[in-house]
Amino acid sequence: IRKELDSAGKDPGDFSMLCVASAQITDADHVESKRSPRKICTGTADQILEDLQRFADAGYSLVVLIFDCPSGEIAELREQVERLGAEVMPAAHEIKVAGEWKKTV
C-alpha cells in the first residue's frame, strides 16, 4: 500500500488502514484457542486483544470483526456480541495505533 501511495504521490497520513477479519471468542479450553497456528481474532479475549494489538502496530485503526458462529443460531451470535462488549472492548479502547496512517477512531 505504501508503494502504491508513493507512486501516486499520496501521503500515508491521508490514507486509513482498515481490515475485516472473522472472529470467534472462545474459552481457554476450547480447541480454537489451543490451535497452533491459531486463526487470527479467534480464541480467548486475551488472544483476540493480542491480535488487535498486532493490527494496531501495523497501522490499522479500524478492524471490523465478523463473528464465526458454527451453529448458525442467533443465540450464538448474540453471545459473541455480548462477550465482545464485556471481554474485549474495555481493553481494546486502550490500544494505540502506530504509524503515520490516518486514524479512523
Side-chain angles (χ1 to χ4, degrees), residues 11-49:
D11 180 357
D14 294 332
F15 187 82
S16 296
M17 294 290 286
L18 321 169
C19 70
V20 176
S22 64
Q24 184 180 19
I25 305 170
T26 68
D27 295 327
D29 61 349
H30 192 279
V31 65
E32 293 298 333
S33 66
K34 295 179 181 182
R35 188 180 303 277
S36 182
R38 180 179 50 80
K39 292 191 289 186
I40 193 86
C41 292
T42 296
T44 65
D46 286 340
Q47 289 172 315
I48 292 171
L49 285 162

Side-chain angles (χ1 to χ4, degrees), residues 32-100:
E32 293 298 333
S33 66
K34 295 179 181 182
R35 188 180 303 277
S36 182
R38 180 179 50 80
K39 292 191 289 186
I40 193 86
C41 292
T42 296
T44 65
D46 286 340
Q47 289 172 315
I48 292 171
L49 285 162
E50 289 171 11
D51 294 336
L52 294 175
Q53 183 64 62
R54 288 181 22 221
F55 279 117
D57 291 346
Y60 289 87
S61 60
L62 178 64
V63 179
V64 176
L65 299 178
I66 298 176
F67 291 108
D68 180 14
C69 297
S71 73
E73 298 292 328
I74 193 72
E76 184 179 17
L77 177 58
R78 180 178 293 133
E79 176 192 11
Q80 288 290 298
V81 170
E82 289 172 357
R83 288 186 75 172
L84 179 77
E87 299 174 33
V88 176
M89 291 307 297
H93 286 295
E94 302 303 317
I95 295 174
K96 303 295 183 220
V97 179
E100 71 276 24

